[in-house]
Amino acid sequence: MNPLLILKCKKNLLLMLLLVSSSAFSMQADSLTITLEDAIATALKNNYEIEIAKNNVEANTLLNNYGVAGGLPLVTAQASNTEQITQVNQKLTDGTEINRNAAAGNNTQASLNAGILLYNGKRVVSTKKRLAELQYQSTELLNSQIQNTIALVMTSYYDVVRQLSYLNTVRTSIQASEKRLEILKVRKEAGMANNADLFQAEIDLNTLNQTFLDQLNVAQVAKTELLRILTLDPKSAVSIKDTIMVDNTLKLDAILDRIAANADVKAADHQIRINELIVRETAALRYPTVRFNTAYNFSRNQTAAGFTLLNRVAGPNAGLTLAIPIYNGSAFKRQQQVAEINTESAKLQRSSIVRDYNAGAVKMYQTFLTSLEQLETQKRNFNLAKQLLDLTLQRFELIQATIIDVREAQRSFEDAGYRMINLNYAAKAAEIELKRLSNTLQ
């Protein structure tokens, strides 16, 4: 049999054993293929932070009610029944004397009360509006969490793609080293190569195989991190077959125009409105409060001895209650002043968010453009490096190039591949962040 084929079979067998020994790339482990759409859907379904945000929305939706704001009637019912034993000693004006030990008695009280607020300086209206703003704000915070989760999933997903792309580069370089070793083996048998070159080729191949295993581990760590984000079993083995495609149609002006649509900015807008309504609520505390009250009362008092043996009263009543705050140590006034300060602080926080997001968008867009420009150049370099490697191997086979030439061509190919993959990932990460800032991630 051709010794070149034997050597190639041995090397392929060794590499296959190394791959099989790694759980990350075993045939049994990589049984689940995940696409980007699957990853996003899984994260949105399982993410704990999103579930918490959903619960906050549900809670604030329940609280957004006129009853919570104090604008609906209040109805209460009360009843009591008291049994008593008393000692009676009475002298009446007609000379009658009543002396009784252990005289039994019973007192029964019952009432049905209803009241409704008629006026309190529109505090109920302000409270109801504040509750609505809290609901809207929690919805925006949920949207923000969804956008952040999608961005995190996409970044982690493409990081796995990046690490797997590194593997392909190393694998191609391993094939070149195997080819070099095959050629040297043939030369050695023909007496045209020395052991030093052969040993060096084997060392280089072993080093690349070790690099491959190291990169295999890095890729598995990246997969585990993705599974953590998806809230899946980190021991699960997945297979991802994808490429990084960058959207080069993004425009800075369009992104900056949509910063105001960012969920965090809109949540800050709602916070300003909430604080303004708190100012109205605290200001309303200084106004009179008018309530309409009505009730139906029943009272029955019975004793076994005494001047009145039975007293029974039943009937409705109605009336108005007016409460006017006159002085409480200026507490309400100070609360209103604090609420006004909090409103100004909310406006400053909103401005700070917009400033940071605008600056972040500009910086990220610069990174995006730079990465795209360098990526085009690096793609050409990578293609040239691949052609150079193939040509150098051909020349080496024809004894027109040295082993050093092949090693340099391999190093150039590996470096060009790493830079191209990193630039592609950097451009994609910048694209994801820009879309997150403009609230356009889907």
Side-chain angles (χ1 to χ4, degrees):
M1 180 179 291
N2 190 327
L4 293 179
L5 294 178
I6 297 175
L7 180 61
K8 185 175 182 180
C9 291
K10 288 183 178 179
K11 293 301 180 182
N12 289 339
L13 179 60
L14 173 62
L15 184 58
M16 184 180 69
L17 291 175
L18 291 174
L19 292 178
V20 171
S21 65
S22 172
S23 61
F25 279 77
S26 65
M27 294 300 293
Q28 181 181 1
D30 283 341
S31 58
L32 176 62
T33 300
I34 294 183
T35 64
L36 179 60
E37 292 75 14
D38 295 336
I40 292 175
T42 302
L44 295 181
K45 178 182 178 182
N46 298 338
N47 186 269
Y48 294 139
E49 287 77 10
I50 290 179
E51 290 301 316
I52 292 173
K54 286 181 179 179
N55 290 339
N56 291 335
V57 172
E58 184 177 357
N60 286 320
T61 301
L62 293 173
L63 291 175
N64 183 18
N65 181 270
Y66 270 106
V68 178
L72 296 181
L74 179 63
V75 180
T76 60
Q78 296 178 339
S80 66
N81 182 58
T82 305
E83 297 286 343
Q84 59 185 5
I85 298 176
T86 59
Q87 182 180 9
V88 180
N89 187 354
Q90 294 180 334
K91 292 183 179 181
L92 306 181
T93 55
D94 61 358
T96 303
E97 293 186 7
I98 301 175
N99 294 293
R100 184 78 174 269
N101 292 324
N106 174 267
N107 181 269
T108 302
Q109 302 283 340
S111 65
L112 180 65
N113 305 283
I116 186 171
L117 180 68
L118 299 180
Y119 178 78
N120 69 341
K122 296 185 178 180
R123 188 165 188 261
V124 170
V125 176
S126 299
T127 302
K128 177 61 175 64
K129 291 181 179 179
R130 177 173 61 83
L131 295 174
E133 291 294 329
L134 284 170
Q135 177 185 347
Y136 303 148
Q137 184 188 49
S138 61
T139 301
E140 293 300 335
L141 292 176
L142 172 60
N143 292 335
S144 174
Q145 186 59 53
I146 290 175
Q147 290 287 305
N148 293 340
T149 301
I150 293 176
L152 182 61
V153 170
M154 293 180 69
T155 302
S156 180
Y157 178 87
Y158 285 117
D159 183 48
V160 175
V161 176
R162 174 177 63 160
Q163 303 303 334
L164 295 177
S165 298
Y166 287 159
L167 282 176
N168 293 331
T169 300
V170 177
R171 186 180 290 111
T172 302
S173 187
I174 289 176
Q175 293 173 354
S177 291
E178 290 175 342
K179 180 67 174 178
R180 188 199 342 163
L181 185 58
E182 291 173 3
I183 295 171
L184 289 174
K185 282 282 188 179
V186 173
R187 289 183 185 178
K188 180 67 169 55
E189 292 180 357
M192 300 175 61
N194 55 45
N195 287 331
D197 290 341
L198 189 64
F199 294 160
Q200 185 61 57
E202 291 180 349
I203 291 173
D204 292 342
L205 179 58
N206 292 336
T207 301
L208 279 174
N209 284 331
Q210 185 60 48
T211 302
F212 186 87
L213 291 179
D214 291 340
Q215 184 56 39
L216 216 64
N217 180 64
V218 173
Q220 184 58 35
V221 170
K223 288 183 179 182
T224 302
E225 176 62 16
L226 177 61
L227 291 171
R228 183 194 68 81
I229 296 172
L230 301 183
T231 318
L232 297 177
D233 185 358
K235 298 187 297 296
S236 301
V238 297
S239 175
I240 295 178
K241 299 178 181 179
D242 207 339
T243 56
I244 301 178
M245 303 296 295
V246 182
D247 181 9
N248 56 7
T249 62
L250 297 180
K251 301 299 180 182
L252 180 59
D253 291 340
I255 294 171
L256 294 177
D257 290 340
R258 286 194 56 84
I259 291 294
N262 184 279
D264 293 334
V265 177
K266 295 174 73 173
D269 290 333
H270 288 299
Q271 187 60 52
I272 294 173
R273 182 61 176 163
I274 289 169
N275 288 357
E276 290 174 346
L277 291 169
I278 292 176
V279 172
R280 294 186 184 182
E281 289 182 62
T282 53
L285 293 173
R286 303 166 65 183
Y287 285 82
T289 300
V290 180
R291 297 187 66 89
F292 173 76
N293 302 295
T294 184
Y296 186 90
N297 299 311
F298 172 82
S299 176
R300 182 179 182 277
N301 192 1
Q302 180 181 5
T303 59
F307 183 75
T308 303
L309 299 180
L310 178 64
N311 183 20
R312 182 179 179 277
V313 178
N317 64 67
L320 295 174
T321 301
L322 173 64
I324 302 176
I326 298 177
Y327 180 74
N328 70 337
S330 69
F332 294 157
K333 179 180 179 181
R334 295 178 183 276
Q335 290 174 9
Q336 181 179 349
Q337 291 173 342
V338 171
E340 292 171 350
I341 293 174
N342 291 336
T343 301
E344 292 301 318
S345 297
K347 293 179 180 178
L348 293 174
Q349 290 174 353
R350 195 264 186 192
S351 300
S352 176
I353 293 174
V354 173
R355 177 202 63 190
D356 293 344
Y357 280 13
N358 282 330
V362 172
K363 291 188 292 185
M364 194 57 62
Y365 191 74
Q366 293 171 347
T367 302
F368 177 71
L369 289 181
T370 302
S371 299
L372 284 181
E373 293 173 359
Q374 294 180 353
L375 180 60
E376 293 304 317
T377 302
Q378 198 56 45
K379 283 182 179 179
R380 292 193 294 271
N381 287 343
F382 178 75
N383 292 331
L384 290 174
K386 182 64 171 65
Q387 295 176 22
L388 176 61
L389 178 60
D390 294 338
L391 178 61
T392 304
L393 283 174
Q394 293 176 7
R395 295 180 67 243
F396 182 72
E397 190 172 6
L398 299 174
I399 319 179
Q400 296 178 355
T402 65
I403 189 173
I404 298 177
D405 295 332
V406 178
R407 292 176 64 187
E408 287 299 321
Q410 281 184 260
R411 185 177 294 108
S412 298
F413 171 76
E414 293 170 9
D415 292 343
Y418 289 149
R419 286 194 295 269
M420 182 188 68
I421 294 168
N422 276 330
L423 285 171
N424 204 17
Y425 176 77
K428 189 63 179 180
E431 173 203 327
I432 293 170
E433 178 62 12
L434 289 171
K435 289 184 176 181
R436 186 192 72 84
L437 291 174
S438 58
N439 204 51
T440 55
L441 274 180
Q442 296 179 354

